[in-house]
Amino acid sequence: MCGQRLEKIVAFWMFAFIRIVTGLTGEGRSVWRKDSHFSPVSKTQMFLYDTFPKDFLWGVGTGAFQVEGSWRKDGKGSSIWDRFSRSELRDADSAGTSSDSYTLLDKDLSALQFLGVTFYQFSISWSRLFPTGVVAAPNEKGLQYYNTLIDSLLYRNIAPVVTLYHWDLPLMLQEKFGGWKNESVIDIFNDYATFCFQIFGDRVKYWITIHNPYLVAWHGYGTGIHAPGERGKIRTVYSVGHNLIKAHAKVWHTYKEHFEPYQKGMISIVLGSHWIEPNKLEDDLDISKCQKSMERVLGWFAKPIHGDGDYPEELKNEFLFLPHFTEDEKNYIKGTADFFAFSFGPSNFKPPNTLPKMGQNLSLNLREVLNWIKLEYNSPRILIAENGWFTDSHVKTDDTTAIYMMKNFINKVLQAIKYDNIDVFGYTAWSLLDGFEWQHAYNIRRGLFYVDFKSKKKERIPKSSALYYKQIIQENGFFPKDSTPNLQAQFSCDFSWGITESVLKAESAASSPQFCDSSLYLWNVTGDGLLHKVEGVKLKTRPAQCTDFVSIKKQLDLLEKMKVTHYRFALDWSLILPNGDLSVVNRQVLRYYRCVISEALKLNIQSMVTLYYPTHTYLGLPGPLLQTGGWLNQSTAHAFQEYAALCFRELGDLVKLWITINEPNQLSNVYKRSSNDTYRAAHNLLLAHAMAWRTYDERYRPSQYGKVSLSLHSDWAEPANPFFESHSKAANRFLQFEIGWFANPIFKTGDYPATMREYITFKNRKGLSYTLLPSFTSEEKQLVKGAADFYALNHFTTRFVIDEPQNGSQYEFDCDIQFLQDITCLSSPSRLAVVPWGMRKVLRWIKKTYGDIDIYITANGIDDSSLDNDELRNYYLDKYIQEVLKAYYIDKVKIKGYYAFKLTEEKSKPRFGFFTSDSKEKPSVRFYNSLISNNGFPDDHSVCGPSSHEKQCSFCLFVSQKKPLIFFACCLFSTLSLLLAIIFFHKRKRRKRFKAKSIKCICVSF
């Protein structure tokens, strides 16, 4: 009995192991059962830089009707698409010539050679070989064309992958038999396939019977958007599908029995599908709906052919009229594919209202659907037989979006191979040429090569996607842009490690006033329970202290946990000077800010103080200044100078680093009525900063020894399409309009960038803009030039920039750019792309453009939605600070400090904080602590160690921080000591008395 039980247990676990490793039929739904705590920065989920297997096949495909043209030439017969395109579709008149591959074969071959593909997947036009569809004497011209094509491919070491049927059924078969509705077409198709095997099979090693039968049945005989355009009943659709499956199986058996033994080829059918994700991953009902959706599309054909020979149970239960396979037919059909040929492209997603979405969400995750195929159909070998996306018809060679779609799709395939052990052996980019795109006619393009359909020569001009695909083929995968390995090194020992906060809202009065009130109170405990003031009695009180402000205590607690050396925060101008001038100065608010700075210093934390921190939702100006036009009025610049001078005077003895204005180059979001308003406000902001800097330089620097600058938003710009010079120019233009706009006047020439002026002038001449960039007077140039002691930058992400001409007098139009979201990048909930190498690039660009100046990174961070495990923030900090270290150590950029953004998050806003809005610590706090304590990424030998002075100061710091506790402990110890002394004294006294009594008693007795 025990032996039998042991055998059962071993058998069960062996079975379970096999299911995990290979996947068994029907296990596809487990793809959607994901761990709810799955890491967003898991290596297996991010873009993979790696290579494909050495024998991986790279190809490209076309469909005969889409590219051949010459529909009446050399004896070709009409197909159902010839009639349908002329009767049902607009803009299809040129389908007769299209890309004209039939007569321009040499140009197609040159395009294939340019790409460097290992195979070319093309289809044979059935009606070009046999005009009526019935096998008889073949059309010699058509036969010659395909023979020449195959021979030419082999001559160039390009393997032909031949599709027998790609939707262009001979019209005669449709008119005479009703097309695929009639079983008679099965035998006719088999005769046609047999002829192809006989004539071409000695040179063709990969055959495809039918391309995407789902679309043939569903759109050809159901929705009617494909030829033959029948809008029949659902019963007809499934009857057509039934016949397509049987036709495929018959051809497969014909090849296996009569041709494979000596031709040694393989044969399959291309099955296409969408992919779908549940609304809620934890909802079993949503997952079941996704499974049903996939079974209705892919499973409809895949389960009979790659599974058990029959339709999915869901289909049979839903549609009682579904045709039945006999047991013999099931055995005949199942396994009739030597590999799983899979199509994943726009035709499988459009139109979306025809897909069985079942209330769930369509997805383009190719890796997931490959996993579903693996689990459902017992880990088949897979050929990606069609994949790609589309662009609008007006797009010529700059198909940038197609590059990113291709990048995403191919990398998903690579991940599936490397991480999921899915046996994908080849990839087909679709398509080689622009051509006729079925129901869309010529309104979209899918080719890697651009073709002008109206030209006579119809040259094949490589698009940027062709250049990108060629690069992938040459590299056999993906290599990172920056291959510099991670450094094991440290920053300088005086490097500033900081944390940034936005505007600190000051308390107008102390929130803990109990030590300031001189009155005496009685507590009526047994009565009303209230405190009652005793009239006429005044007690001595202590002076007001900084710790009376509760919010300061909270800030200090958070800063102490951060273990930073510097704290950057902003003052509230409108609170300090409510009238905008010195007529009313809120001394209590100034005292609050001074308390923050002084109390932080007790923790050995120095403050970097920002005078003005505007945002697009809160401009932060005093009310009277807003009413007079804000930054559109130059008087605001003079008001800012007075405000800055006040802050320098009142706080400057404690502050060594000042920021005048935070991100003035982002105020275009506020002053956007016209570009002239934007530039005018920016001009006044520059002057305001310069006047504040001159004030400090002349009046306060000699005694305070501080440094002053302004923080500029400095995201890096990368050309979205590296194959187009216009994109590189657009990226540089963005940097000039975004950073150079403020940095050039201060750090370089005293004037705006020449690139900026010239481009605006160019647009004005063309009548595309009426922008007038302000001019600096000679005095203003002298005022502005050099008005900064260091470069302060806020950097969060890298923007991928497209050259996009625009018309209008708005700041965002003047630059003529658009941003593209790289879908392959790790991104935050607010869609900030995590591109660490962009940080190093912008630092190098600043050094190259503005010289070897000191640089402080005054804000760098990302939003992370997790409250208890912000792994994304940890990953971001690790990668970005590593790039800062490379810039510091390798590129010799003079980086003086790094300030993470930000201390606490705000409610209802992206979660950038290390602490929640209720001051709850996140794990990233400790991660940042470790970076600070290590001063970077040290090897075993640490350069910077704590000095004896620092060790001594750490004890002093402990004493200063724990004064109340130490005082209480001393009092408690003194009290206990006194109490013990009294007890000891009384016990000793009693003992003496007892002893004296005892002696007296003894004497009396004697």
Side-chain angles (χ1 to χ4, degrees):
M1 288 290 289
C2 291
Q4 288 180 346
R5 288 185 64 187
L6 183 61
E7 286 178 6
K8 288 180 179 178
I9 291 169
V10 171
F12 170 78
W13 284 110
M14 284 294 293
F15 178 70
F17 176 76
I18 292 169
R19 290 173 78 94
I20 292 169
V21 173
T22 64
L24 291 181
T25 303
E27 291 299 305
R29 67 178 66 241
S30 63
V31 172
W32 294 291
R33 300 187 189 281
K34 299 172 184 174
D35 184 359
S36 58
H37 301 291
F38 195 76
S39 170
V41 293
S42 169
K43 180 183 177 182
T44 62
Q45 298 301 308
M46 289 192 286
F47 190 86
L48 176 60
Y49 290 101
D50 205 340
T51 56
F52 284 83
K54 289 183 179 179
D55 57 351
F56 192 80
L57 303 177
W58 295 101
V60 68
T62 57
F65 185 79
Q66 296 179 279
V67 299
E68 281 186 4
S70 304
W71 75 289
R72 285 182 174 175
K73 193 171 184 178
D74 293 339
K76 179 187 178 295
S78 294
S79 73
I80 56 175
W81 272 97
D82 286 317
R83 183 178 69 178
F84 183 80
S85 63
R86 283 161 180 76
S87 61
E88 300 294 330
L89 300 177
R90 296 180 179 180
D91 306 319
D93 294 339
S94 57
T97 56
S98 185
S99 304
D100 213 3
S101 289
Y102 181 72
T103 59
L104 300 173
L105 176 58
D106 287 343
K107 293 184 178 181
D108 288 358
L109 293 170
S110 296
L112 290 166
Q113 279 190 294
F114 175 85
L115 292 173
V117 292
T118 50
F119 72 86
Y120 177 41
Q121 182 179 325
F122 65 92
S123 71
I124 294 174
S125 172
W126 188 349
S127 59
R128 192 176 295 282
L129 281 183
F130 301 104
T132 65
V134 178
V135 173
N139 176 12
E140 288 299 328
K141 290 288 187 179
L143 189 61
Q144 180 185 345
Y145 168 72
Y146 292 115
N147 270 318
T148 303
L149 171 56
I150 292 169
D151 290 341
S152 300
L153 291 172
L154 293 172
Y155 177 77
R156 291 165 174 79
N157 293 320
I158 300 172
V161 177
V162 180
T163 301
L164 296 170
Y165 180 69
H166 195 138
W167 308 355
D168 49 349
L169 187 73
L171 184 60
M172 189 73 73
L173 298 182
Q174 180 68 32
E175 293 177 337
K176 186 175 180 179
F177 298 101
W180 289 106
K181 292 184 292 184
N182 194 323
E183 285 193 27
S184 301
V185 176
I186 295 173
D187 290 328
I188 299 173
F189 179 61
N190 187 59
D191 293 341
Y192 155 64
T194 302
F195 175 85
C196 292
F197 297 150
Q198 290 171 339
I199 301 301
F200 310 122
D202 60 326
R203 292 159 291 164
V204 176
K205 302 307 175 187
Y206 292 96
W207 290 96
I208 300 295
T209 56
I210 302 168
H211 188 92
N212 211 337
Y214 171 84
L215 297 179
V216 176
W218 192 259
H219 289 322
Y221 296 86
T223 65
I225 64 173
H226 279 194
E230 295 188 13
R231 292 174 175 83
K233 296 180 180 178
I234 192 72
R235 186 188 299 268
T236 304
V237 171
Y238 285 103
S239 176
V240 168
H242 198 71
N243 290 334
L244 288 166
I245 292 170
K246 290 166 76 174
H248 157 76
K250 190 174 184 70
V251 170
W252 187 87
H253 280 285
T254 297
Y255 185 79
K256 288 295 174 182
E257 292 169 14
H258 302 292
F259 299 100
E260 186 197 49
Y262 62 92
Q263 292 184 355
K264 306 299 183 184
M266 291 190 287
I267 185 167
S268 188
I269 179 173
V270 171
L271 302 181
S273 182
H274 63 309
W275 181 242
I276 198 157
E277 296 280 0
N279 289 320
K280 297 179 181 178
L281 291 175
E282 66 279 3
D283 191 325
D284 288 338
L285 181 59
D286 283 354
I287 290 175
S288 294
K289 289 178 179 179
C290 289
Q291 178 72 8
K292 287 179 181 179
S293 177
M294 293 302 296
E295 287 177 349
R296 287 193 181 187
V297 178
L298 186 53
W300 177 11
F301 293 89
K303 190 167 181 285
I305 295 168
H306 294 277
D308 60 4
D310 200 2
Y311 294 118
E313 290 300 319
E314 194 278 329
L315 267 184
K316 292 195 289 185
N317 295 334
E318 184 74 19
F319 305 113
L320 300 178
F321 54 79
L322 199 67
H324 294 284
F325 291 116
T326 65
E327 288 304 315
D328 288 341
E329 285 176 332
K330 290 178 186 178
N331 292 326
Y332 185 75
I333 291 167
K334 72 178 180 180
T336 56
D338 299 328
F339 53 90
F340 198 116
F342 181 58
S343 165
F344 194 72
S347 297
N348 301 303
F349 289 85
K350 300 179 75 174
N353 62 329
T354 64
L355 286 167
K357 292 183 290 185
M358 299 188 173
Q360 308 308 304
N361 306 307
L362 291 175
S363 167
L364 294 176
N365 195 327
L366 179 53
R367 179 183 174 186
E368 295 284 78
V369 71
L370 290 174
N371 270 281
W372 190 86
I373 291 169
K374 173 188 174 181
L375 293 168
E376 282 286 320
Y377 306 113
N378 199 18
S379 300
R381 294 194 75 215
I382 300 173
L383 169 69
I384 307 297
E386 178 190 0
N387 183 235
W389 211 242
F390 66 93
T391 60
D392 292 333
S393 59
H394 69 270
V395 175
K396 294 184 179 180
T397 54
D398 184 0
D399 60 340
T400 305
T401 54
I403 285 181
Y404 286 88
M405 295 300 288
M406 177 183 286
K407 180 183 177 184
N408 179 53
F409 285 137
I410 295 178
N411 201 258
K412 292 295 183 185
V413 175
L414 182 60
Q415 291 172 29
I417 293 170
K418 296 291 184 178
Y419 295 139
D420 308 325
N421 296 315
I422 297 175
D423 187 8
V424 182
F425 68 91
Y427 176 88
T428 311
W430 205 274
S431 77
L432 176 65
L433 310 171
D434 286 336
F436 179 81
E437 291 300 334
W438 311 116
Q439 74 268 28
H440 302 288
Y442 294 97
N443 293 315
I444 65 171
R445 292 176 179 267
R446 290 191 65 189
L448 297 178
F449 287 79
Y450 171 77
V451 178
D452 182 354
F453 302 121
K454 295 180 181 179
S455 70
K456 291 182 179 180
K457 292 184 178 180
K458 290 187 170 57
E459 297 293 344
R460 277 69 166 133
I461 305 172
K463 300 180 185 179
S464 49
S465 56
L467 300 172
Y468 185 64
Y469 191 44
K470 179 181 181 179
Q471 177 182 305
I472 290 174
I473 294 171
Q474 288 175 340
E475 297 176 352
N476 198 35
F478 302 92
F479 286 91
K481 285 188 175 183
D482 182 6
S483 57
T484 306
N486 284 348
L487 290 180
Q488 295 294 313
Q490 291 179 296
F491 293 96
S492 64
C493 297
D494 60 348
F495 191 79
S496 301
W497 290 98
I499 186 71
T500 294
E501 189 61 286
S502 51
V503 177
L504 280 189
K505 291 296 179 183
E507 295 179 53
S508 56
S511 48
S512 297
Q514 62 267 35
F515 297 110
C516 304
D517 191 347
S518 60
S519 301
L520 177 66
Y521 296 88
L522 289 177
W523 184 13
N524 188 2
V525 179
T526 58
D528 57 12
L530 300 176
L531 294 172
H532 295 274
K533 188 175 182 180
V534 178
E535 299 296 336
V537 178
K538 292 292 180 182
L539 303 175
K540 189 176 181 180
T541 62
R542 67 158 172 78
Q545 296 181 3
C546 288
T547 49
D548 293 340
F549 296 104
V550 172
S551 62
I552 292 181
K553 293 179 184 177
K554 290 181 179 179
Q555 289 282 324
L556 294 175
D557 287 342
L558 302 186
L559 289 173
E560 190 175 2
K561 290 176 181 177
M562 290 299 300
K563 302 188 187 305
V564 292
T565 62
H566 285 70
Y567 176 40
R568 181 189 172 205
F569 67 92
L571 312 179
D572 192 327
W573 183 3
S574 61
L575 279 181
I576 296 173
L577 299 178
N579 291 342
D581 56 27
L582 299 180
S583 61
V584 176
V585 178
N586 192 329
R587 294 288 171 185
Q588 186 68 11
V589 170
L590 276 173
R591 177 175 171 266
Y592 175 88
Y593 288 131
R594 186 173 180 85
C595 280
V596 172
I597 298 165
S598 61
E599 291 299 309
L601 281 172
K602 291 177 183 177
L603 299 177
N604 280 350
I605 298 173
Q606 296 186 45
S607 295
M608 175 186 277
V609 177
T610 303
L611 297 175
Y612 179 51
Y613 195 102
T615 66
H616 68 279
T617 56
Y618 177 66
L619 196 53
L621 285 172
L625 297 181
L626 272 175
Q627 293 170 7
T628 56
W631 288 108
L632 295 177
N633 192 331
Q634 197 168 357
S635 63
T636 302
H638 294 283
F640 181 77
Q641 183 185 21
E642 289 184 346
Y643 160 64
L646 172 69
C647 295
F648 296 150
R649 185 173 67 248
E650 297 294 328
L651 308 175
D653 58 319
L654 301 178
V655 179
K656 301 306 174 188
L657 292 170
W658 291 93
I659 298 294
T660 55
I661 305 167
N662 184 70
E663 297 189 349
N665 52 342
Q666 292 292 292
L667 276 184
S668 58
N669 295 324
V670 178
Y671 294 99
K672 56 183 180 181
R673 187 177 61 183
S674 71
S675 53
N676 288 331
D677 278 0
T678 305
Y679 295 126
R680 184 178 169 194
H683 196 75
N684 289 331
L685 281 160
L686 265 169
L687 294 176
H689 159 76
M691 288 190 289
W693 186 87
R694 296 291 172 191
T695 298
Y696 187 86
D697 191 53
E698 293 167 6
R699 292 165 54 185
Y700 298 100
R701 193 191 305 275
S703 59
Q704 295 179 359
Y705 309 106
K707 294 181 178 180
V708 182
S709 188
L710 79 172
S711 283
L712 296 178
H713 191 99
S714 303
D715 285 340
W716 178 245
E718 190 73 11
N721 190 333
F723 304 104
F724 270 79
E725 188 182 358
S726 61
H727 287 239
S728 298
K729 289 180 177 178
N732 182 61
R733 201 160 58 240
F734 169 80
L735 293 173
Q736 295 297 335
F737 272 75
E738 179 85 352
I739 302 175
W741 182 17
F742 281 80
N744 261 51
I746 294 171
F747 296 102
K748 207 167 186 182
T749 63
D751 199 359
Y752 298 116
T755 302
M756 197 173 177
R757 283 199 181 279
E758 289 166 5
Y759 201 78
I760 290 173
T761 302
F762 161 76
K763 292 197 71 173
N764 286 342
R765 286 174 183 167
K766 286 201 163 189
L768 301 175
S769 174
Y770 298 99
T771 296
L772 294 174
L773 196 61
S775 296
F776 291 101
T777 65
S778 57
E779 292 81 6
E780 288 173 339
K781 286 182 180 181
Q782 289 181 351
L783 176 72
V784 171
K785 186 177 179 180
D789 301 311
F790 55 90
Y791 188 107
L793 73 146
N794 298 345
H795 176 90
F796 299 94
T797 188
T798 290
R799 305 293 194 96
F800 294 91
V801 178
I802 295 174
D803 179 49
E804 186 70 34
Q806 298 181 75
N807 188 357
S809 296
Q810 296 288 332
Y811 167 75
E812 58 269 25
F813 295 162
D814 285 344
C815 199
D816 282 347
I817 61 166
Q818 287 283 355
F819 298 121
L820 182 142
Q821 187 80 19
D822 184 353
I823 58 175
T824 66
C825 277
L826 175 66
S827 297
S828 74
S830 66
R831 301 188 73 189
L832 283 178
V834 180
V835 190
W837 47 261
M839 169 67 92
R840 183 181 177 189
K841 283 195 171 187
V842 77
L843 289 169
R844 286 190 298 194
W845 184 85
I846 291 168
K847 178 182 177 181
K848 179 182 176 182
T849 309
Y850 302 114
D852 196 19
I853 56 177
D854 290 349
I855 296 176
Y856 283 86
I857 299 162
T858 47
N860 178 238
I862 198 165
D863 57 306
D864 189 328
S865 58
S866 177
L867 294 175
D868 53 4
N869 190 17
D870 52 345
E871 293 176 283
L872 177 59
R873 182 171 293 107
N874 287 346
Y875 177 86
Y876 183 96
L877 288 169
D878 180 55
K879 299 302 180 185
Y880 272 76
I881 293 175
Q882 177 64 226
E883 293 300 315
V884 174
L885 183 63
K886 289 176 186 177
Y888 172 80
Y889 199 81
I890 299 173
D891 307 324
K892 307 302 179 186
V893 181
K894 292 171 66 176
I895 304 165
K896 295 296 184 180
Y898 174 91
Y899 291 68
F901 183 85
K902 71 190 205 77
L903 185 62
T904 56
E905 65 191 28
E906 301 172 60
K907 292 181 179 178
S908 305
K909 289 189 176 182
R911 300 182 184 276
F912 278 91
F914 283 81
F915 294 88
T916 63
S917 54
D918 56 355
S919 302
K920 181 183 176 183
E921 178 182 330
K922 299 180 185 179
S924 54
V925 171
R926 294 193 179 185
F927 184 80
Y928 192 39
N929 288 167
S930 68
L931 291 172
I932 295 171
S933 62
N934 291 324
N935 198 34
F937 303 88
D939 52 17
D940 295 335
H941 175 68
S942 179
V943 176
C944 298
S947 64
S948 58
H949 173 72
E950 286 174 328
K951 289 177 182 177
Q952 183 183 359
C953 282
S954 63
F955 175 74
C956 299
L957 181 63
F958 174 80
V959 172
S960 65
Q961 290 173 5
K962 306 299 181 182
K963 277 181 182 177
L965 183 63
I966 293 170
F967 177 74
F968 174 75
C970 290
C971 291
L972 182 63
F973 179 76
S974 301
T975 305
L976 288 173
S977 299
L978 182 62
L979 184 62
L980 287 171
I982 292 171
I983 293 170
F984 178 77
F985 175 76
H986 277 283
K987 278 192 174 183
R988 193 173 178 186
K989 196 172 181 181
R990 286 181 64 188
R991 200 172 292 157
K992 283 183 178 180
R993 284 179 183 174
F994 178 76
K995 194 172 182 182
K997 279 186 179 181
S998 298
I999 293 170
K1000 190 176 181 181
C1001 288
I1002 292 168
C1003 292
V1004 170
S1005 64
F1006 274 109

